[in-house]
Each structure stands twice: as C-alpha cells, then as structure tokens.
Amino acid sequence: RLAPIPRPKAASAASQPRERRVRHQRAGTLRVAAVALGALAALALVAALALLALRNSPVFAITSIEFEATEHVSAEDVQSLAAVPEGATLLNVDTDAIEASLRKNPWVASASFSRIFPSTLGITIEEQRPAALVLMSTGTVAWYLSESGSWIEPTTVEAAEGQSVADAALALAQEQGCLLITDVPSTVDPEAGSAATDETLDAVRQFQEGFSSDFAAQVVCYSAPSTENVSCVLESGVEVSLGSPTDISEKEDIVQGYLEQSDGRVVRINVRVPSSPAYREIDSSNVQAGEGVSSEEE
C-alpha cells in the first residue's frame, strides 16, 4: 500500500501575527525610503534650478579683470586678449576659451583663474621660459626660443660702442638665464608660436641633452652654422669645436680630460674627430695632437 502524502502543517496561531508585523515593518521602511528619495530628488531639482539662475545672474556679471603684469606680458595685453564675452558671469565664464585666446601671445605658456566675488575675474599668467636666444648669421635680430622648442618673439641686439653684436647678445642671454646660439644660417625662418624644426638647432639640442648635466651647465654659447660644424664656448672661455652631434659622451670625456690637466692654460679644444683630438694653450701658435702633451711655445 502507498503511504499517504503528508500535508504541510498549518502555521501556528502564534507565528501568524509575527509574520504580519514583519511585512508591515518592511512596507513602512520602503515607504519612508521612497519619501526620502523623493525629497532628495526635489531638493536636487531646486538646487539645479537655483544654480542655473545664479550662473546667469547679473549679480555675478564680470565687470573687471585682476591681473599682475609679468616680465613680457602687460596688463594691456591681457585686457585685449582675454576678451570676456558680454554677459559672462563668474559662474558661467568659459576659462578654457579665455586661456586659448591669451596664448595667442607667444610668451603665455598657461593661465589660471580665480573668482573674486561678486564681479572680478583674477588671471595668473605662467610665462614661457626662454631656453635660448638665437642670433642669425647676419643682422642684429635675435629670437627667443622656448623650453618647449617653439619660437617666442624677436628682439633687437644693441651693441655698445666697441662691443660686438655677439658679445651684446651673450650679455642679453645671460641676463635672461638662457643659452646663446649664434651663426644660425639664414635658411632658418622663425615664426612666433611655431616649432623650431631646423636641423642646426636640432644638432645643438642633441649636444645639450647628450652632455652630462654638469658639463651642459658650463656651456654659455653655441655656434651652429651647420649640423657638421657645431662649436661651443664654456664659462671658462674655452672654445670647443664639436663637429656633428655624434659620439657626444666620448667628446665630453676628452674635453674634460684636457681641462683637468691644463691648469687653465687651454683656450681651444677640437674634438670633431674623437680619435684624433687637438688643443691649443695660451701663448701657443701650434695645435698639437691630443695626447695630453702641452704644445710648444714660441
């Protein structure tokens, strides 16, 4: 015979009220959560509408610009380039567009902004840092070249009586804390804000980046009439003929060796061909092979 199928036991009378209480509590919690979410959504909507109203409120309309002039960027430059749109407020002004406009001045590297309520926009300019002053092979016009490798602007080199243009340019470069690059060929055609892509300037960059930081810091001037004929002058006044930007570390080692053993007498070193370097000392008319042997004096 088949056993009868057991029927589920009916819930006890004691458990039924407890289950109803649990369901009731859950329903109450959900109602409270729904009310809270609705209130938050309403508050968010009110805040958004209030912000929208404030963003365009004439109370915060920009009526003045606060700016401290930098070395190469005047307050007049900023006023003319910032071009804050009419009706712009401190809350809706497009600072990216203003920065892009300010960077039309090639000295402007970047701009940051502060909001001085109720109606003043503060602007702080970060200037381009000139890495070099580039003097062309002819004339008295030199161009500033930025650390990012772009042309900044030209300047006229004014030599004093009895002073060469190159010496005047070197004094100007040292005043600005940058390198001087001279004898650059006339094929170089700078344009403010554009990248400097000439091969001779790239050769100088390769030398400056290939030297150790200590040696690179000693260089005050490069001459770059061509990529194969680069030379430099050190702080000590020693002239170094470098040639093309190859074997840069080896060339530096040779120059350092001569400087360390010369007792300050070396005035010119030639490392164009590292395998056969040469140097010249003070009061010497002969150039000798680089074996660390002093040249004969007259």
Side-chain angles (χ1 to χ4, degrees), residues 8-244:
K9 296 182 179 180
S12 65
S15 64
Q16 290 179 358
R18 184 170 60 251
E19 292 176 357
R20 286 197 296 269
R21 285 197 302 272
V22 170
R23 287 196 299 269
H24 180 73
Q25 289 172 352
R26 289 176 178 171
T29 301
L30 291 174
R31 283 195 298 271
V32 171
V35 171
L37 289 174
L40 288 174
L43 288 174
L45 178 60
V46 171
L49 292 174
L51 179 59
L52 181 61
L54 288 173
R55 278 173 56 85
N56 301 302
S57 171
V59 174
F60 300 120
I62 298 172
T63 59
S64 63
I65 293 175
E66 187 175 278
F67 169 74
E68 185 174 344
T70 61
E71 183 175 358
H72 300 100
V73 183
S74 67
E76 291 75 16
D77 292 334
V78 172
Q79 288 286 354
S80 63
L81 289 174
V84 177
E86 184 177 354
T89 74
L90 292 177
L91 298 178
N92 69 10
V93 64
D94 186 348
T95 54
D96 289 341
I98 293 177
E99 181 176 5
S101 180
L102 289 170
R103 292 182 67 174
K104 292 176 182 177
N105 183 319
W107 278 106
V108 177
S110 63
S112 57
F113 302 86
S114 59
R115 292 164 173 80
I116 306 169
F117 288 92
S119 58
T120 300
L121 181 67
I123 301 178
T124 301
I125 297 296
E126 180 71 24
E127 278 198 0
Q128 294 274 16
R129 292 175 57 87
L133 181 66
V134 181
L135 182 65
M136 306 306 165
S137 57
T138 58
T140 59
V141 174
W143 275 78
Y144 286 108
L145 187 64
S146 75
E147 289 182 340
S148 62
S150 61
W151 297 108
I152 301 178
E153 72 172 3
T155 184
T156 301
V157 179
E158 298 180 357
E161 185 177 353
Q163 185 185 38
S164 68
V165 174
D167 286 342
L170 178 58
L172 181 58
Q174 291 177 327
E175 180 183 324
Q176 294 290 332
C178 63
L179 284 171
L180 173 65
I181 304 176
T182 66
D183 303 316
V184 173
S186 57
T187 53
V188 176
D189 187 20
E191 181 180 347
S194 65
T197 58
D198 189 84
E199 291 181 351
T200 56
L201 296 176
D202 186 59
V204 170
R205 179 190 59 78
Q206 290 181 61
F207 273 116
Q208 193 67 0
E209 293 180 356
F211 287 144
S212 67
S213 57
D214 288 341
F215 188 79
Q218 297 180 51
V219 179
V220 296
C221 174
Y222 283 95
S223 171
S226 68
T227 57
E228 296 80 21
N229 194 26
V230 178
S231 61
C232 71
V233 177
L234 306 181
E235 290 176 336
S236 60
V238 176
E239 299 177 21
V240 182
S241 181
L242 297 165
S244 59

